[in-house]
Amino acid sequence: MAQDKAAAILAALGGGDNVVEIEPCITRLRCEVEDGSLIDEAALKAAGAHGVMKQGTVVQVVVGPEADTLAEDIEDLR
Amino acid sequence: MSVEVGSPVAGLAAALGEVPDPVFSQAMVGPGMAIKPSGGRADAVAPIAGTVMTLHPHAFVIASSGGTAVLVHLGIDTVKLKGEGFELHVAKGDVVEAGQRIVSWDPSEVESHGYSSICPVIALEVAPEALADVREDGQVATGDVLFTVSA
């Protein structure tokens, strides 16, 4: 289940090749991507994000306190 | 069953809407309130009794046995300080009492780095109606009840 969510979030970020860095904070994933236009906000929300804040190539995905685990799962998939 | 949530720090109580971060001000991860800390280096304490579920130098989550989880965030964007100036006194998975010290930190030092030192105290993933007896404003001492959460 958690793996599915991680996979869905990674896909919505434009896939593993588009992700430069993911840093988990306590409530959110701070992600830096190559191409900001590949970010699919609707898909991130569908994957369970409470909110998405996008500024250019940096996107913060609000996922709640499971951010740490999710970030690890996403790293495993990359 | 309801759980009393105590203030992790001493300072001035404020509404979440005053927190300069949309995740907290828009209550994306849950309702709660915020404290503007007063004074210099101090301990931030556990708002409730429970297990340390998540622990960063600048933020932590305590979960009660009844399932209520409370997030305390020490300042805004303080993840960028990478733990500098924060001293942890517990480990992830530890069982703590309400009022037990979790982290020592210095709000004035955080401010000197250009970050807000305001501390959101959030009841994670509950409806706003789950909060009662919310402290409106004014000075609070460490451990003063900020609100109660019904699980």
Side-chain angles (χ1 to χ4, degrees), chain A residues 23-28 30 50-53 60 62-65 68, chain B residues 21-24 28-29 54 56 58-60 71 73 77 79 124-125:
Chain A
E23 185 185 23
C25 185
I26 205 152
T27 57
R28 69 194 89 178
R30 293 166 186 260
H50 300 294
V52 178
M53 287 166 293
Q60 296 191 20
V62 183
V63 291
D68 282 338
Chain B
D21 184 320
V23 173
F24 299 118
M28 285 188 204
V29 290
T54 313
H56 288 250
H58 66 284
F60 55 88
L71 164 70
H73 208 282
D77 284 334
V79 67
L124 287 171
E125 289 166 356

Side-chain angles (χ1 to χ4, degrees), chain B residues 1-132:
Chain B
M1 197 182 83
S2 75
V3 176
E4 288 188 337
V5 176
S7 185
V9 295
L12 200 58
L16 267 193
E18 293 185 37
V19 178
D21 184 320
V23 173
F24 299 118
S25 64
Q26 294 171 25
M28 285 188 204
V29 290
M33 53 182 298
I35 308 294
K36 295 172 187 161
S38 47
R41 194 160 185 88
D43 290 333
V45 307
I48 58 172
T51 305
V52 180
M53 200 168 90
T54 313
L55 184 66
H56 288 250
H58 66 284
F60 55 88
V61 176
I62 312 284
S64 77
S65 53
T68 300
V70 177
L71 164 70
V72 176
H73 208 282
L74 304 173
I76 299 304
D77 284 334
T78 36
V79 67
K80 292 175 189 159
L81 293 172
K82 299 194 184 298
E84 189 196 333
F86 295 86
E87 187 191 350
L88 291 170
H89 300 293
V90 297
K92 188 176 172 179
D94 281 2
V95 174
V96 297
E97 294 298 319
Q100 184 175 334
R101 70 175 184 165
I102 307 292
V103 189
S104 301
W105 70 308
D106 189 337
S108 50
E109 193 186 316
V110 165
E111 299 266 352
S112 76
H113 282 97
Y115 299 107
S116 167
S117 65
I118 197 166
C119 297
V121 181
I122 310 283
L124 287 171
E125 289 166 356
V126 300
E129 302 80 55
L131 260 55

